[in-house]
Amino acid sequence: IARARAGRLEGTARRAFEAGDQLAAAYLGGLEFLAKNSLDQAANQFQVALRIAPDFFPGSFYLGVCYAAAGRDREAVTAWRRSVAANGRVAITYRLLADALFRLGQGTLAVDPLTQAAAQWPDDEQIRRGLGFASLMAGQHADALAALEPYLERHESDHEALLAAMQALYAAHAAGRTL
């Protein structure tokens, strides 16, 4: 583990296996394969780790990374949902889950996890930005504007977020509502 933390993954899986720690061996093997961009082998190792310990957060997190890197966003979503369930205290997991949902054209499904994340990390601007976009896709114009307004105060050159806020205002106005 100390070698892996130092970034020297080569041989760490074998050493963990020889020491009798199958979970660490599978996990470290997955990291070693991932570092070599051998995505299928890495995913296999992370799956082995999850068979040993189904709630092993790092295994499900990195399995999602493998799937997303291979363009398999449906599988990545499943892995990252599992990660959130195992450990909901890691902000990047929520952002990666939302990004995969956006790539799948299912941004409306990102509203709930991003709402949970925004409650935990109210100062995380990327979560707020994502929540704004997801809320807009879900037709929740007031929520979209509420998420995007404070973000835009600090990032006024983000033209995509500005357009999303304007679209939320226009859609609400077209529906006879004032925001």
Side-chain angles (χ1 to χ4, degrees), residues 55 57-58 60 81-91 93-94 121:
D55 290 336
F57 167 78
S60 56
R81 282 186 173 144
R82 186 177 187 175
S83 293
V84 166
N87 180 354
R89 297 181 315 270
V90 181
T93 310
Y94 290 88
W121 301 283

Side-chain angles (χ1 to χ4, degrees), residues 8 12-13 15 22 48 55 62 70 72 87 101 103 106 111 113 117 123 132 141 148-149 161-162 173:
R8 298 186 318 257
T12 57
R15 287 183 181 176
Q22 292 182 354
V48 168
D55 290 336
Y62 282 109
R72 297 168 55 188
N87 180 354
L101 288 166
R103 287 191 300 273
Q106 299 176 341
V111 172
D123 296 331
H141 305 116
L148 290 169
E149 239 180 344
L162 182 59
H173 177 74

Side-chain angles (χ1 to χ4, degrees), residues 64-132:
V65 169
C66 291
Y67 287 148
R72 297 168 55 188
D73 285 318
R74 287 195 193 291
E75 292 91 341
V77 164
T78 300
W80 284 326
R81 282 186 173 144
R82 186 177 187 175
S83 293
V84 166
N87 180 354
R89 297 181 315 270
V90 181
I92 193 162
T93 310
Y94 290 88
R95 293 197 323 246
L96 293 172
L97 170 59
D99 287 346
L101 288 166
F102 286 134
R103 287 191 300 273
L104 290 169
Q106 299 176 341
T108 58
L109 296 178
V111 172
D112 287 341
L114 286 173
T115 299
Q116 294 169 8
Q120 289 186 67
W121 301 283
D123 296 331
D124 188 316
E125 294 182 336
Q126 292 308 308
I127 287 174
R128 287 225 155 279
R129 183 180 190 273
L131 178 57

